[in-house]
PDB file of all heavy atoms in Angstrom:
ATOM      1  N   MET V1275      -5.319 -59.388 -93.525  1.00 51.00           N
ATOM      2  CA  MET V1275      -5.381 -60.533 -92.620  1.00 51.00           C
ATOM      3  C   MET V1275      -6.846 -60.851 -92.327  1.00 51.00           C
ATOM      4  O   MET V1275      -7.659 -59.965 -92.054  1.00 51.00           O
ATOM      5  CB  MET V1275      -4.648 -60.204 -91.320  1.00 51.00           C
ATOM      6  CG  MET V1275      -4.538 -61.394 -90.379  1.00 51.00           C
ATOM      7  SD  MET V1275      -3.649 -60.984 -88.861  1.00 51.00           S
ATOM      8  CE  MET V1275      -2.013 -60.670 -89.517  1.00 51.00           C
ATOM      9  N   SER V1276      -7.205 -62.163 -92.391  1.00 58.00           N
ATOM     10  CA  SER V1276      -8.585 -62.558 -92.190  1.00 58.00           C
ATOM     11  C   SER V1276      -9.002 -62.399 -90.752  1.00 58.00           C
ATOM     12  O   SER V1276      -8.177 -62.381 -89.832  1.00 58.00           O
ATOM     13  CB  SER V1276      -8.751 -64.024 -92.623  1.00 58.00           C
ATOM     14  OG  SER V1276      -8.022 -64.885 -91.744  1.00 58.00           O
ATOM     15  N   SER V1277     -10.330 -62.300 -90.546  1.00 57.00           N
ATOM     16  CA  SER V1277     -10.863 -62.158 -89.183  1.00 57.00           C
ATOM     17  C   SER V1277     -10.570 -63.380 -88.354  1.00 57.00           C
ATOM     18  O   SER V1277     -10.345 -63.278 -87.138  1.00 57.00           O
ATOM     19  CB  SER V1277     -12.373 -61.907 -89.252  1.00 57.00           C
ATOM     20  OG  SER V1277     -13.031 -62.982 -89.916  1.00 57.00           O
ATOM     21  N   LYS V1278     -10.548 -64.553 -88.968  1.00 54.00           N
ATOM     22  CA  LYS V1278     -10.245 -65.778 -88.209  1.00 54.00           C
ATOM     23  C   LYS V1278      -8.808 -65.750 -87.643  1.00 54.00           C
ATOM     24  O   LYS V1278      -8.569 -66.181 -86.526  1.00 54.00           O
ATOM     25  CB  LYS V1278     -10.432 -67.005 -89.107  1.00 54.00           C
ATOM     26  CG  LYS V1278     -11.879 -67.335 -89.414  1.00 54.00           C
ATOM     27  CD  LYS V1278     -11.991 -68.617 -90.207  1.00 54.00           C
ATOM     28  CE  LYS V1278     -13.437 -68.982 -90.484  1.00 54.00           C
ATOM     29  NZ  LYS V1278     -13.555 -70.244 -91.241  1.00 54.00           N
ATOM     30  N   ARG V1279      -7.901 -65.246 -88.464  1.00 56.00           N
ATOM     31  CA  ARG V1279      -6.513 -65.169 -88.014  1.00 56.00           C
ATOM     32  C   ARG V1279      -6.366 -64.149 -86.878  1.00 56.00           C
ATOM     33  O   ARG V1279      -5.627 -64.363 -85.926  1.00 56.00           O
ATOM     34  CB  ARG V1279      -5.598 -64.801 -89.169  1.00 56.00           C
ATOM     35  CG  ARG V1279      -4.119 -64.906 -88.811  1.00 56.00           C
ATOM     36  CD  ARG V1279      -3.242 -64.804 -90.037  1.00 56.00           C
ATOM     37  NE  ARG V1279      -1.844 -65.017 -89.691  1.00 56.00           N
ATOM     38  CZ  ARG V1279      -0.858 -64.947 -90.577  1.00 56.00           C
ATOM     39  NH1 ARG V1279      -1.104 -64.693 -91.854  1.00 56.00           N
ATOM     40  NH2 ARG V1279       0.393 -65.149 -90.186  1.00 56.00           N
ATOM     41  N   TRP V1280      -7.083 -63.040 -86.994  1.00 50.00           N
ATOM     42  CA  TRP V1280      -7.067 -62.046 -85.916  1.00 50.00           C
ATOM     43  C   TRP V1280      -7.598 -62.657 -84.613  1.00 50.00           C
ATOM     44  O   TRP V1280      -7.055 -62.410 -83.540  1.00 50.00           O
ATOM     45  CB  TRP V1280      -7.927 -60.831 -86.295  1.00 50.00           C
ATOM     46  CG  TRP V1280      -7.164 -59.770 -87.024  1.00 50.00           C
ATOM     47  CD1 TRP V1280      -7.343 -59.355 -88.310  1.00 50.00           C
ATOM     48  CD2 TRP V1280      -6.092 -59.003 -86.493  1.00 50.00           C
ATOM     49  NE1 TRP V1280      -6.458 -58.376 -88.643  1.00 50.00           N
ATOM     50  CE2 TRP V1280      -5.653 -58.109 -87.530  1.00 50.00           C
ATOM     51  CE3 TRP V1280      -5.432 -58.950 -85.266  1.00 50.00           C
ATOM     52  CZ2 TRP V1280      -4.613 -57.205 -87.370  1.00 50.00           C
ATOM     53  CZ3 TRP V1280      -4.410 -58.025 -85.108  1.00 50.00           C
ATOM     54  CH2 TRP V1280      -4.002 -57.176 -86.134  1.00 50.00           C
ATOM     55  N   ILE V1281      -8.633 -63.441 -84.735  1.00 49.00           N
ATOM     56  CA  ILE V1281      -9.215 -64.064 -83.548  1.00 49.00           C
ATOM     57  C   ILE V1281      -8.231 -65.041 -82.920  1.00 49.00           C
ATOM     58  O   ILE V1281      -8.084 -65.088 -81.691  1.00 49.00           O
ATOM     59  CB  ILE V1281     -10.519 -64.803 -83.929  1.00 49.00           C
ATOM     60  CG1 ILE V1281     -11.603 -63.780 -84.315  1.00 49.00           C
ATOM     61  CG2 ILE V1281     -11.016 -65.681 -82.771  1.00 49.00           C
ATOM     62  CD1 ILE V1281     -12.858 -64.404 -84.870  1.00 49.00           C
ATOM     63  N   LYS V1282      -7.511 -65.788 -83.758  1.00 50.00           N
ATOM     64  CA  LYS V1282      -6.503 -66.726 -83.231  1.00 50.00           C
ATOM     65  C   LYS V1282      -5.398 -65.981 -82.485  1.00 50.00           C
ATOM     66  O   LYS V1282      -4.956 -66.384 -81.423  1.00 50.00           O
ATOM     67  CB  LYS V1282      -5.930 -67.571 -84.378  1.00 50.00           C
ATOM     68  CG  LYS V1282      -6.884 -68.583 -84.963  1.00 50.00           C
ATOM     69  CD  LYS V1282      -6.207 -69.369 -86.086  1.00 50.00           C
ATOM     70  CE  LYS V1282      -7.172 -70.397 -86.683  1.00 50.00           C
ATOM     71  NZ  LYS V1282      -6.534 -71.148 -87.778  1.00 50.00           N
ATOM     72  N   ILE V1283      -4.919 -64.898 -83.135  1.00 47.00           N
ATOM     73  CA  ILE V1283      -3.848 -64.105 -82.510  1.00 47.00           C
ATOM     74  C   ILE V1283      -4.331 -63.514 -81.198  1.00 47.00           C
ATOM     75  O   ILE V1283      -3.626 -63.546 -80.189  1.00 47.00           O
ATOM     76  CB  ILE V1283      -3.374 -63.001 -83.479  1.00 47.00           C
ATOM     77  CG1 ILE V1283      -2.677 -63.612 -84.696  1.00 47.00           C
ATOM     78  CG2 ILE V1283      -2.423 -62.039 -82.762  1.00 47.00           C
ATOM     79  CD1 ILE V1283      -2.316 -62.594 -85.771  1.00 47.00           C
ATOM     80  N   TRP V1284      -5.537 -62.963 -81.207  1.00 46.00           N
ATOM     81  CA  TRP V1284      -6.108 -62.372 -79.988  1.00 46.00           C
ATOM     82  C   TRP V1284      -6.241 -63.419 -78.902  1.00 46.00           C
ATOM     83  O   TRP V1284      -5.934 -63.170 -77.742  1.00 46.00           O
ATOM     84  CB  TRP V1284      -7.461 -61.761 -80.330  1.00 46.00           C
ATOM     85  CG  TRP V1284      -8.174 -61.184 -79.121  1.00 46.00           C
ATOM     86  CD1 TRP V1284      -8.003 -59.943 -78.607  1.00 46.00           C
ATOM     87  CD2 TRP V1284      -9.171 -61.845 -78.329  1.00 46.00           C
ATOM     88  NE1 TRP V1284      -8.816 -59.772 -77.505  1.00 46.00           N
ATOM     89  CE2 TRP V1284      -9.537 -60.926 -77.309  1.00 46.00           C
ATOM     90  CE3 TRP V1284      -9.767 -63.085 -78.385  1.00 46.00           C
ATOM     91  CZ2 TRP V1284     -10.485 -61.231 -76.344  1.00 46.00           C
ATOM     92  CZ3 TRP V1284     -10.706 -63.407 -77.422  1.00 46.00           C
ATOM     93  CH2 TRP V1284     -11.058 -62.496 -76.412  1.00 46.00           C
ATOM     94  N   PHE V1285      -6.699 -64.633 -79.296  1.00 47.00           N
ATOM     95  CA  PHE V1285      -6.881 -65.715 -78.337  1.00 47.00           C
ATOM     96  C   PHE V1285      -5.534 -66.133 -77.724  1.00 47.00           C
ATOM     97  O   PHE V1285      -5.445 -66.329 -76.507  1.00 47.00           O
ATOM     98  CB  PHE V1285      -7.521 -66.912 -79.023  1.00 47.00           C
ATOM     99  CG  PHE V1285      -7.818 -68.063 -78.082  1.00 47.00           C
ATOM    100  CD1 PHE V1285      -8.876 -68.020 -77.208  1.00 47.00           C
ATOM    101  CD2 PHE V1285      -6.991 -69.195 -78.075  1.00 47.00           C
ATOM    102  CE1 PHE V1285      -9.150 -69.071 -76.354  1.00 47.00           C
ATOM    103  CE2 PHE V1285      -7.251 -70.244 -77.236  1.00 47.00           C
ATOM    104  CZ  PHE V1285      -8.328 -70.195 -76.351  1.00 47.00           C
ATOM    105  N   ILE V1286      -4.496 -66.203 -78.552  1.00 49.00           N
ATOM    106  CA  ILE V1286      -3.157 -66.577 -78.067  1.00 49.00           C
ATOM    107  C   ILE V1286      -2.635 -65.539 -77.081  1.00 49.00           C
ATOM    108  O   ILE V1286      -2.089 -65.866 -76.020  1.00 49.00           O
ATOM    109  CB  ILE V1286      -2.174 -66.741 -79.252  1.00 49.00           C
ATOM    110  CG1 ILE V1286      -2.559 -67.970 -80.087  1.00 49.00           C
ATOM    111  CG2 ILE V1286      -0.733 -66.870 -78.731  1.00 49.00           C
ATOM    112  CD1 ILE V1286      -1.732 -68.104 -81.355  1.00 49.00           C
ATOM    113  N   ILE V1287      -2.843 -64.262 -77.428  1.00 48.00           N
ATOM    114  CA  ILE V1287      -2.389 -63.183 -76.566  1.00 48.00           C
ATOM    115  C   ILE V1287      -3.121 -63.232 -75.224  1.00 48.00           C
ATOM    116  O   ILE V1287      -2.509 -63.127 -74.156  1.00 48.00           O
ATOM    117  CB  ILE V1287      -2.589 -61.812 -77.228  1.00 48.00           C
ATOM    118  CG1 ILE V1287      -1.662 -61.686 -78.446  1.00 48.00           C
ATOM    119  CG2 ILE V1287      -2.349 -60.671 -76.237  1.00 48.00           C
ATOM    120  CD1 ILE V1287      -1.893 -60.415 -79.254  1.00 48.00           C
ATOM    121  N   VAL V1288      -4.418 -63.383 -75.276  1.00 51.00           N
ATOM    122  CA  VAL V1288      -5.236 -63.418 -74.053  1.00 51.00           C
ATOM    123  C   VAL V1288      -4.834 -64.588 -73.152  1.00 51.00           C
ATOM    124  O   VAL V1288      -4.819 -64.453 -71.924  1.00 51.00           O
ATOM    125  CB  VAL V1288      -6.744 -63.504 -74.415  1.00 51.00           C
ATOM    126  CG1 VAL V1288      -7.571 -63.835 -73.174  1.00 51.00           C
ATOM    127  CG2 VAL V1288      -7.205 -62.215 -75.049  1.00 51.00           C
ATOM    128  N   ILE V1289      -4.481 -65.701 -73.745  1.00 56.00           N
ATOM    129  CA  ILE V1289      -4.079 -66.867 -72.951  1.00 56.00           C
ATOM    130  C   ILE V1289      -2.639 -66.745 -72.463  1.00 56.00           C
ATOM    131  O   ILE V1289      -2.306 -67.050 -71.313  1.00 56.00           O
ATOM    132  CB  ILE V1289      -4.235 -68.167 -73.788  1.00 56.00           C
ATOM    133  CG1 ILE V1289      -5.719 -68.414 -74.088  1.00 56.00           C
ATOM    134  CG2 ILE V1289      -3.634 -69.358 -73.040  1.00 56.00           C
ATOM    135  CD1 ILE V1289      -6.577 -68.648 -72.874  1.00 56.00           C
ATOM    136  N   THR V1290      -1.757 -66.261 -73.360  1.00 60.00           N
ATOM    137  CA  THR V1290      -0.314 -66.241 -73.055  1.00 60.00           C
ATOM    138  C   THR V1290       0.061 -65.230 -71.992  1.00 60.00           C
ATOM    139  O   THR V1290       0.832 -65.542 -71.060  1.00 60.00           O
ATOM    140  CB  THR V1290       0.499 -65.948 -74.345  1.00 60.00           C
ATOM    141  OG1 THR V1290       0.210 -66.936 -75.325  1.00 60.00           O
ATOM    142  CG2 THR V1290       1.983 -65.953 -74.047  1.00 60.00           C
ATOM    143  N   ILE V1291      -0.454 -64.033 -72.086  1.00 63.00           N
ATOM    144  CA  ILE V1291      -0.052 -62.959 -71.162  1.00 63.00           C
ATOM    145  C   ILE V1291      -0.311 -63.333 -69.709  1.00 63.00           C
ATOM    146  O   ILE V1291       0.567 -63.173 -68.865  1.00 63.00           O
ATOM    147  CB  ILE V1291      -0.727 -61.626 -71.547  1.00 63.00           C
ATOM    148  CG1 ILE V1291      -0.115 -61.118 -72.849  1.00 63.00           C
ATOM    149  CG2 ILE V1291      -0.550 -60.601 -70.440  1.00 63.00           C
ATOM    150  CD1 ILE V1291      -0.691 -59.811 -73.333  1.00 63.00           C
ATOM    151  N   PRO V1292      -1.511 -63.823 -69.378  1.00 71.00           N
ATOM    152  CA  PRO V1292      -1.730 -64.208 -67.976  1.00 71.00           C
ATOM    153  C   PRO V1292      -0.786 -65.314 -67.514  1.00 71.00           C
ATOM    154  O   PRO V1292      -0.337 -65.320 -66.365  1.00 71.00           O
ATOM    155  CB  PRO V1292      -3.184 -64.682 -67.957  1.00 71.00           C
ATOM    156  CG  PRO V1292      -3.818 -63.970 -69.099  1.00 71.00           C
ATOM    157  CD  PRO V1292      -2.751 -63.905 -70.159  1.00 71.00           C
TER     158      PRO V1292
END
Side-chain angles (χ1 to χ4, degrees):
M1275 186 179 293
S1276 67
S1277 58
K1278 287 185 178 181
R1279 189 169 185 182
W1280 270 115
I1281 292 173
K1282 289 180 181 179
I1283 293 174
W1284 177 84
F1285 183 76
I1286 292 173
I1287 292 174
V1288 169
I1289 295 297
T1290 302
I1291 290 179

